[in-house]
Amino acid sequence: MKQFLLTSAAALTLTACANTNATFPSFFQESGAVVDAHGTFGAATTHNVGVQNGTIKYTVDLANRFADEVPSMVTFAFNSSQLDANARAILRQQADWIRQFPEVRFRVYGHTDLVGSQTYNKRLGLRRAQAVVSYLSTLGISRSRLEAVVSFGETQPLVVTQGRERRNRRTVTEVSGFVQGHPSLLDGKYAAVIYREYIASAVPIPTGAVPSVNSSE
């Protein structure tokens, strides 16, 4: 019986030694190897380094963020450049986002459906883009930040059809770059924008929210 117990204990010891690396992998592997099992550890640092050395374009990153966080497109009635209530609501969302980033410039692209001549549709697309720029300016966005108004006319339909298609009668607002020489930018780096947002998020607790320990009943 004693021999059996010794043999069993030895077997368990060997098993434990064999599986030590599986049980405590962080002890036997380099620092961070386990944390990075899903490939996300250090991703923020990698991104920041990429932005600084130019391998990641900060304007592309901001453009993707704008497209993800707010609707970038508004549509129009047939043969019209008038903004309806839905379009104005979307543009107010765009303006709220744009105001957060005074360093960023935008470009508005106008589009039409395939009804009508190319020449006419080019002008109509431009009027639609101008209507968006004008409305954004009434919401406090400087026209100097809306750097260009471009019309693609009927050349880039979302839905290929010769008939009337509202989704083709649209404008698209996109990030185009940074305002040159803006004082909030550190050599034009996106890190300055992120740092400003980080500081702004640190809201102090009002002094009156915590009662004084010396106050009397």
Side-chain angles (χ1 to χ4, degrees), residues 65-88:
R65 179 175 172 182
F66 177 74
D68 289 340
E69 295 182 2
V70 296
S72 60
M73 182 177 77
V74 299
T75 60
F76 296 81
F78 179 72
N79 195 29
S80 173
S81 59
Q82 298 297 313
L83 299 170
D84 60 18
N86 184 63
R88 291 192 296 272

Side-chain angles (χ1 to χ4, degrees), residues 52-129:
Q52 294 293 324
N53 64 25
T55 58
I56 298 176
K57 295 298 184 183
Y58 38 80
T59 50
V60 174
D61 186 64
L62 266 180
N64 290 335
R65 179 175 172 182
F66 177 74
D68 289 340
E69 295 182 2
V70 296
S72 60
M73 182 177 77
V74 299
T75 60
F76 296 81
F78 179 72
N79 195 29
S80 173
S81 59
Q82 298 297 313
L83 299 170
D84 60 18
N86 184 63
R88 291 192 296 272
I90 290 174
L91 292 176
R92 285 193 293 271
Q93 293 181 56
Q94 291 185 14
D96 289 341
W97 196 98
I98 291 171
R99 277 192 292 269
Q100 298 178 70
F101 298 91
E103 310 86 353
V104 183
R105 304 175 74 181
F106 294 81
R107 182 175 289 127
V108 180
Y109 298 90
H111 301 262
T112 70
D113 58 25
L114 299 182
V115 179
S117 69
Q118 288 192 23
T119 301
Y120 180 82
N121 284 336
K122 187 77 177 260
R123 292 196 299 267
L124 178 58
L126 183 60
R127 291 200 302 273
R128 287 170 174 167

Side-chain angles (χ1 to χ4, degrees), residues 11-215:
L12 288 172
T13 301
L14 289 173
T15 302
C17 290
N19 294 332
T20 298
N21 194 46
T23 307
F24 305 105
S26 61
F27 184 80
F28 295 95
Q29 299 181 37
E30 64 274 14
S31 177
V34 179
V35 180
D36 201 25
H38 299 290
T40 57
F41 184 74
T45 299
T46 300
H47 177 81
N48 289 338
V49 170
V51 168
Q52 294 293 324
N53 64 25
T55 58
I56 298 176
K57 295 298 184 183
Y58 38 80
T59 50
V60 174
D61 186 64
L62 266 180
N64 290 335
R65 179 175 172 182
F66 177 74
D68 289 340
E69 295 182 2
V70 296
S72 60
M73 182 177 77
V74 299
T75 60
F76 296 81
F78 179 72
N79 195 29
S80 173
S81 59
Q82 298 297 313
L83 299 170
D84 60 18
N86 184 63
R88 291 192 296 272
I90 290 174
L91 292 176
R92 285 193 293 271
Q93 293 181 56
Q94 291 185 14
D96 289 341
W97 196 98
I98 291 171
R99 277 192 292 269
Q100 298 178 70
F101 298 91
E103 310 86 353
V104 183
R105 304 175 74 181
F106 294 81
R107 182 175 289 127
V108 180
Y109 298 90
H111 301 262
T112 70
D113 58 25
L114 299 182
V115 179
S117 69
Q118 288 192 23
T119 301
Y120 180 82
N121 284 336
K122 187 77 177 260
R123 292 196 299 267
L124 178 58
L126 183 60
R127 291 200 302 273
R128 287 170 174 167
Q130 290 171 336
V132 167
V133 168
S134 295
Y135 188 72
L136 288 174
S137 68
T138 68
L139 300 175
I141 309 303
S142 171
R143 284 180 178 264
S144 65
R145 296 177 57 204
L146 302 167
E147 65 167 303
V149 180
V150 181
S151 175
F152 284 115
E154 63 184 47
T155 61
Q156 296 185 5
L158 288 179
V159 181
V160 180
T161 174
Q162 296 297 321
R164 300 182 181 185
E165 175 53 58
R166 187 176 182 97
R167 284 172 291 179
N168 291 337
R169 304 191 299 266
R170 70 198 190 278
T171 62
V172 179
T173 306
E174 294 183 358
V175 171
S176 60
F178 284 106
V179 176
Q180 295 299 316
H182 194 284
S184 295
L185 289 177
L186 301 177
D187 296 326
K189 299 303 182 184
Y190 180 40
V193 181
I194 299 302
Y195 180 72
R196 188 196 68 239
E197 286 194 291
Y198 171 75
I199 294 298
S201 69
V203 180
I205 299 175
T207 55
V210 181
S212 173
V213 293
N214 296 323
S215 61

